[in-house]
Amino acid sequence: MNVEFINPFIKTTAEVISTMAFIEPAAGKPYRKKDQSAGGDVSGLIGLVGEKITGSFAISFTESCIRKIVSNMLEEEIDEVNQDILDAVGEITNMISGGVRAKLQEMGHNFKMATPSVISGKSHAISHITEGPVIIIPFDTEKGPFFIEACLNEKKKDK
Amino acid sequence: MTDTNMKILVVDDFATMRKIIKNILKKLGFQNIAEAEDGVSALEVLKKQEIDFIVSDWNMPNMSGLELLKAIRSDEALKDKPVLMVTAEAQKENIVEAVKAGVNNYVVKPFTPETMKEKIDKIFA
């Protein structure tokens, strides 16, 4: 994956979380994912299908982290993973996807709109739609970490 | 000044997002708010209730925000209703498409209450 694609994810994720939940997440050093398992307990996954580049990205939140984020978003205390949390993770995934696609468009890459899916449960797996290395960008908050997983590759030419 | 007594219809398929938008509208002084979960149910509400202003998401099942906007603009009784599109789509062609379809203003998620106020004030200036 082109390293230039990493910054739009870091910037957009921080913007979305700070604007919606008034939390400033601290981005850590990106690294390559080694297995299928998600870093968190609730994850949103969305396709990024473009003309030249295609792939997907996911955001995976630890339970304490997403409870705090959604409590702030809705201005009410949420003490379990409920429908509000699943909806909010879908919405956050969608917003990050929109922001990242707008930034990638400025770099000359157009992507189509897509619909996110949300997965929850302890030690669930995330399967990206294309093969190729998955880059993880860890973020920390005072209520625990969350992780962005990005997998973007050049499209294989048709035979 | 924007009339805070007007009746606003918030259209979004996610209940959570409707709640967030309603909270923001309430912070801006609007109390008279109805809800719909997609374009189809929004049109039903618009036909039954006197709605002054529509705040709609774009990406929804059954009938998208853009299709709802086109349906409103082609309905004699509804065509002059102001519509604010709320969407995560910040790509230029999406904005152009919404403007062509007759949207009054456009706000890209995520947004602050201040941004929402600016967009609404511009519509009702």
Side-chain angles (χ1 to χ4, degrees), chain A residues 45-47 94 113-117, chain B residues 59:
Chain A
L45 174 69
I46 194 164
N94 206 22
M113 280 166 89
T115 308
S117 51
Chain B
N59 203 356

Side-chain angles (χ1 to χ4, degrees), chain A residues 45-110:
Chain A
L45 174 69
I46 194 164
L48 288 169
V49 178
E51 291 148 9
K52 289 176 279 181
I53 308 282
T54 195
S56 52
F57 93 89
I59 184 163
S60 186
F61 296 94
T62 51
E63 186 181 328
S64 55
C65 173
I66 194 61
R67 273 175 27 210
K68 179 66 180 168
I69 287 174
V70 181
S71 297
N72 282 9
M73 281 170 77
L74 295 179
E75 298 172 49
E76 57 188 65
E77 217 45 56
I78 293 177
D79 50 19
E80 57 173 348
V81 175
N82 58 14
Q83 194 58 44
D84 279 340
I85 287 198
L86 302 181
D87 273 11
V89 170
E91 201 53 58
I92 290 169
T93 308
N94 206 22
M95 286 184 213
I96 295 173
S97 164
V100 165
R101 279 183 285 122
K103 289 184 177 70
L104 292 177
Q105 187 180 44
E106 287 167 15
M107 294 160 67
H109 301 287
N110 290 318

Side-chain angles (χ1 to χ4, degrees), chain A residues 15-16 19-20 73-76 83-84 87-88 90-91 94-95 98-99 101-102 105 109-111 113-115, chain B residues 12-17 19-20 23-24 27 57-59 87-94 109-113:
Chain A
E15 277 167 12
V16 169
T19 309
M20 296 305 293
M73 281 170 77
L74 295 179
E75 298 172 49
E76 57 188 65
Q83 194 58 44
D84 279 340
D87 273 11
E91 201 53 58
N94 206 22
M95 286 184 213
R101 279 183 285 122
Q105 187 180 44
H109 301 287
N110 290 318
F111 292 89
M113 280 166 89
T115 308
Chain B
D12 199 303
D13 51 327
F14 283 116
T16 311
M17 201 59 212
K19 212 184 270 182
I20 291 167
N23 283 348
I24 288 179
K27 273 186 200 149
D57 182 26
W58 181 312
N59 203 356
T87 172
E89 298 309 313
Q91 296 190 96
K92 281 176 218 135
E93 60 272 22
N94 295 115
K109 290 187 270 191
F111 52 85
T112 59

Side-chain angles (χ1 to χ4, degrees), chain B residues 72-84:
Chain B
I72 290 171
R73 292 292 175 255
S74 60
D75 185 311
E76 204 46 45
L78 303 174
K79 67 178 168 52
D80 296 323
K81 301 274 182 204
V83 177
L84 173 68

Side-chain angles (χ1 to χ4, degrees), chain B residues 37-91:
Chain B
E37 61 183 22
D38 59 31
V40 175
S41 55
L43 279 178
E44 283 170 19
V45 174
L46 285 165
K47 280 170 187 161
K48 282 183 203 147
Q49 297 182 37
E50 190 53 49
I51 300 289
D52 303 302
F53 175 40
I54 299 122
V55 177
S56 178
D57 182 26
W58 181 312
N59 203 356
M60 295 180 290
N62 300 328
M63 183 191 267
S64 72
L66 191 68
E67 290 164 337
L68 170 65
L69 174 64
K70 288 176 180 169
I72 290 171
R73 292 292 175 255
S74 60
D75 185 311
E76 204 46 45
L78 303 174
K79 67 178 168 52
D80 296 323
K81 301 274 182 204
V83 177
L84 173 68
M85 194 81 93
V86 179
T87 172
E89 298 309 313
Q91 296 190 96

